[in-house]
Amino acid sequence: IRENQAAMAWYGQRGIPVEVNEAHHWSLRSAPDSVAVAAFYLAAYNAKKAGVKDYIAQIMLNNPPGTSGIMDLGKALAGLELVGRLEDDRFKVYRQVRAGLASLSVKQYVAKGQLAASTVLGLGLSPQIIHVVAYCEAEHIATPQEIIESCEIVHGVLKNYLYDAPDPTLHHRVVARKDELMAEAELILDAIRELGAAESEDPFTDPKTLAQAVGLGILDAPQLK
């Protein structure tokens, strides 16, 4: 944790944007969505405290595999709203979306469809950046041609969907899920704050407190062990 904080500070001192992929690693290990949302906030919080000015909030969709679109958008919106509270004239958040690494099929044409569908879902979050995952990555490392082809698939989605598409984030079930996850994530964050309050002025950046939060199961995932 200390090494990661030092790395963020190094980039921050040089005015280099920072992207922290903490949250999606919890989801890749099948953590509850509320844990992923709390981790999404903690990553951005630590980046800001380390002096980072331009922060890239990466949202890996379809993660864990099988997550529905409504659950996916609710989780993303909850994290973005919490992180938005950190924004000020010294800390700017940029939204980046990508398809879920573990969600793609080894069947290449099916995976192409999944890449397109994930891009459509991600556009609902109004991203400034689209991280194009090559459709073939579930089966083999991408070749230059497959990377170009994946980008062209995404370009096709943008051409048809970018302007004046319906806004899925307004759906009542998405909003309800966002509110539910924000409440749960804030409960997790409160527990971490209380855990380290006696020993640290800022438990959210205290390596010992954050490690304890994992050790005690406040932050937990089925596949950690």
Side-chain angles (χ1 to χ4, degrees), residues 70-92:
I70 285 175
M71 297 293 105
D72 227 354
L73 288 176
K75 177 170 71 170
L77 290 168
L80 289 170
E81 187 162 328
L82 286 177
V83 169
R85 298 174 182 176
L86 299 172
E87 284 197 281
D88 53 31
D89 57 357
R90 296 177 293 105
F91 189 71
K92 172 69 176 174

Side-chain angles (χ1 to χ4, degrees), residues 15 25 62 110 145 159 170 185 214-215:
H25 279 288
N62 328 113
V110 173
Q145 182 55 45
K159 183 176 180 180
L170 301 178
V214 178

Side-chain angles (χ1 to χ4, degrees), residues 99-130:
L101 278 177
S103 70
L104 297 174
S105 174
V106 295
K107 298 178 179 179
Q108 301 297 273
Y109 288 105
V110 173
K112 290 178 183 181
Q114 289 177 300
L115 173 59
S118 182
T119 304
V120 170
L121 188 69
L123 286 177
L125 299 169
S126 302
Q128 287 98 347
I129 304 166
I130 296 177

Side-chain angles (χ1 to χ4, degrees), residues 9-22:
W10 189 93
Y11 283 101
Q13 290 163 7
R14 289 157 178 80
I16 300 171
V18 168
E19 169 187 318
V20 184
N21 296 334
E22 177 75 11

Side-chain angles (χ1 to χ4, degrees), residues 18 49 55 72 92 124 127 156 158 162 179 182 184 193 197 205:
V18 168
K49 290 293 184 176
Y55 182 74
D72 227 354
K92 172 69 176 174
L158 293 174
L162 185 59
D179 292 342
M182 284 185 66
E184 291 181 1
R193 188 183 291 109
T205 61

Side-chain angles (χ1 to χ4, degrees), residues 201-215:
E201 292 183 1
D202 189 358
F204 289 170
T205 61
D206 179 46
K208 181 180 177 182
T209 300
L210 294 173
Q212 278 187 312
V214 178

Side-chain angles (χ1 to χ4, degrees), residues 17-35:
V18 168
E19 169 187 318
V20 184
N21 296 334
E22 177 75 11
H24 78 232
H25 279 288
W26 286 96
S27 292
L28 283 169
R29 288 153 185 83
S30 300
D33 284 351
S34 52
V35 168

